[in-house]
Amino acid sequence: PANGTLKGDRGIFGSRKVQSILCCAFLPNGNHVSGSHGGEILVWARNNVIAVIEGAHQGPIFTLLYDSKLGLISGGKDGKIVVRDLKMQTLDQCEVESGIRAMCLWSEEGSKAIKAIIGLEDSTIIEIEGFGTSSTKKQNHVMQAHSAIKDEELWGCACSPSREFEFVTSGDDGMVYKWDTRSRKLVSKAKLVGHCRASTYSPDGTIVAVGNDQGDIFVLYSEDLSQAYIQKYVQRKGIATKQHGVEVLRFSPNGQYLLVAGHDLVIDIFDVP
């Protein structure tokens, strides 16, 4: 507008309970749709709800977009991607490993194949090939990282003493990741029990030790992060605290011993097989 201001009309939901609107998209017929926190898709004509698709997703719908070749595409916290026509009938769907937060479509020049780039709530970005056009869909990981779904934090980071391009990280999501600085890509991963805290390499770089918030210690092979051994925390007399999280891990210079210090104010020294 000439005066530099925007004017809006409040949405009229009718007799329905007003829910938080998390995303929206325009349709080619001039209407628009929105996704609600309760998993409904609402169809709007200007500012009036004219149709509701109940249970479009189990939980919040975080992304909606319309593509002229595919139709209306929605993604939600339930990890499902659903394609619908303008009559809101389901045409295609697929499921991914975690809740969906963002989505876009693209295709290579000269190709009819449409690919979907999906951003997940666990800090992962995936690419789906054959999206909307094939019963067989291939999912590729474009990027992975530690999850921040519940304000989870990254705690451990250790560099390999034998391979200058390699390091591992560990965090509250229970994941241990091995990275390659040359390619800037994830090489290996392992899912452990509890919230991972400190991590360290053995002097020869063949072993990675990780401690969690429960006082457990995991010994992993650095090659593929497969588990070699686990030392469960053992409650000892005279220690009243229930905080046993591992704060620091260190191997001795000869690699024969592993020092572990934690919230219980105890320092343990273990033999390394």
Side-chain angles (χ1 to χ4, degrees), residues 139-215:
Q139 297 185 18
N140 303 309
H141 284 87
V142 177
M143 188 188 79
Q144 289 181 272
H146 288 279
S147 172
I149 299 176
K150 300 178 180 178
D151 295 325
E152 295 163 323
E153 298 176 342
L154 173 67
W155 280 76
C157 183
C159 297
S160 171
S162 58
R163 293 182 286 273
E164 62 180 13
F165 52 84
E166 179 183 304
F167 70 99
V168 295
T169 57
S170 54
D172 278 340
D173 56 1
M175 297 299 298
V176 180
Y177 289 134
K178 184 174 77 169
W179 306 88
D180 187 315
T181 59
R182 299 170 301 180
S183 61
R184 299 186 179 183
K185 290 185 177 181
L186 175 68
V187 179
S188 299
K189 62 181 179 179
K191 174 66 174 176
L192 305 180
V193 176
H195 296 173
C196 295
R197 291 293 185 256
S199 56
T200 188
Y201 275 89
S202 62
D204 61 2
T206 61
I207 295 294
V208 174
V210 180
N212 68 11
D213 62 334
Q214 301 169 15

